[in-house]
Amino acid sequence: STLVGQFTISGMTCAACVNSVEGILRNLTGVKKAVVALATSLGEVEYDPNVIGKDEIVTAIEDAGFEASFVQ
Ligand code: 9UX
């Protein structure tokens, strides 16, 4: 199955941050798609909830030095 989750992310200040966060998310087992926008500080992931949860996604982002919280 696939869920779509949207989150706010803070701490990104340049395009390389965006690439870094997207790369981290796309490398997580269970994450199928990941897009992050610098201008709006919003991100969206498609993920398999049987494989990975929002908590693990947030932890991966925060381990990279950013703050994230899901809004949906
Ligand atoms: Mo840009 Mo982001 O120089 O962690 S990569 S600020």
Side-chain angles (χ1 to χ4, degrees):
S1 57
T2 301
L3 290 181
V4 177
Q6 292 165 335
F7 55 89
T8 60
I9 179 167
S10 63
M12 296 192 306
T13 55
C14 81
C17 292
V18 173
N19 290 332
S20 178
V21 171
E22 287 180 342
I24 288 162
L25 292 173
R26 289 168 185 168
N27 280 333
L28 294 174
T29 302
V31 172
K32 301 169 180 180
K33 293 184 183 177
V35 180
V36 173
L38 182 62
T40 57
S41 296
L42 293 173
E44 186 171 283
V45 285
E46 288 184 21
Y47 64 101
D48 183 340
N50 297 310
V51 177
I52 193 167
K54 290 178 181 178
D55 53 345
E56 294 166 273
I57 294 171
V58 167
T59 296
I61 295 170
E62 294 187 342
D63 284 351
F66 306 97
E67 290 291 324
S69 70
F70 273 87
V71 296
Q72 174 189 311

